[in-house]
Amino acid sequence: MILPGIGRAQQGRDPNSQKPTDLRIRLTFNDLVLTATLYDNPSARDLVSMLPLNLRIEDYANNEKIVRLPRKLTEDGSGPFGNERPGDLCYFKPWGNLALFYGDYKWDGLIRLGRFEGGFEPLRVRGEYPVHIERI
C-alpha cells in the first residue's frame, strides 16, 4: 500500500539525507499535544499503517520518553545516522519501541522516523500516561 505524501522506500540511501514528507502524526497525552513530521522511509510507513493507536508513554533515562508498540516495525532501509539531536522521533530496533528524544543522545539500533514540530517541551513532563497516536 502506498500512502499519500510518501514516495518509494529509501533502501540503500543515506539516512542522514532523508527528507521530510507531508505526512504528520499527533501524539496526545496528559492534555498535551505533540505533532511530528515523518520522513520517507519504510519504518515510518509501517508505523502509519498501525494508526490510530492507544498505548502508554513513559520516561526512560533522562533524555527521552518511550512508547512500546504492539509489534515491531520493519527495519528495511535502516542505517546509522550521525546528526542526532533533540526533537527526533526514532524507532529502537532491539526493543521495538518508539523513542521520543528531548535531550542529546547517541545510540546504535535507532531508525529516525521524523521530527517534532514546534518544540518538544511536553516530553519533559515526568510520568507515565495513556497516549493516543493518530495520523493528521
Side-chain angles (χ1 to χ4, degrees):
M1 175 172 86
I2 301 217
L3 299 170
I6 294 190
R8 296 179 182 223
Q10 290 191 337
Q11 290 179 316
R13 295 172 86 185
D14 179 6
N16 285 312
S17 65
Q18 291 186 68
K19 302 295 182 207
T21 65
D22 60 356
L23 185 60
R24 298 166 59 221
I25 62 171
R26 177 178 14 225
L27 294 88
T28 307
F29 66 96
N30 193 33
D31 295 323
L32 302 167
V33 177
L34 286 165
T35 302
T37 298
L38 298 181
Y39 289 131
D40 183 13
N41 67 52
S43 300
R45 285 191 292 280
D46 196 16
L47 174 63
V48 169
S49 76
M50 296 169 52
L51 300 179
L53 290 169
N54 289 302
L55 303 168
R56 294 203 62 81
I57 190 168
E58 59 189 273
D59 299 315
Y60 187 81
N62 291 316
N63 66 338
E64 69 180 292
K65 283 201 176 290
I66 63 172
V67 176
R68 299 174 196 278
L69 295 172
R71 68 166 172 80
K72 288 195 169 196
L73 299 178
T74 182
E75 297 174 14
D76 292 347
S78 69
F81 53 94
N83 56 353
E84 298 91 344
R85 59 193 167 137
D88 284 342
L89 169 63
C90 296
Y91 173 68
F92 186 57
K93 297 184 293 187
W95 293 354
N97 64 271
L98 297 179
L100 299 76
F101 290 99
Y102 58 85
D104 291 333
Y105 72 98
K106 180 109 174 129
W107 195 258
D108 291 331
L110 292 169
I111 298 171
R112 188 166 31 214
L113 303 175
R115 293 269 312 151
F116 290 106
E117 303 172 357
F120 45 85
E121 285 306 309
L123 296 176
R124 295 184 187 278
V125 174
R126 304 296 290 173
E128 183 175 329
Y129 305 97
V131 63
H132 179 72
I133 307 171
E134 64 188 332
R135 180 179 172 179
I136 54 174

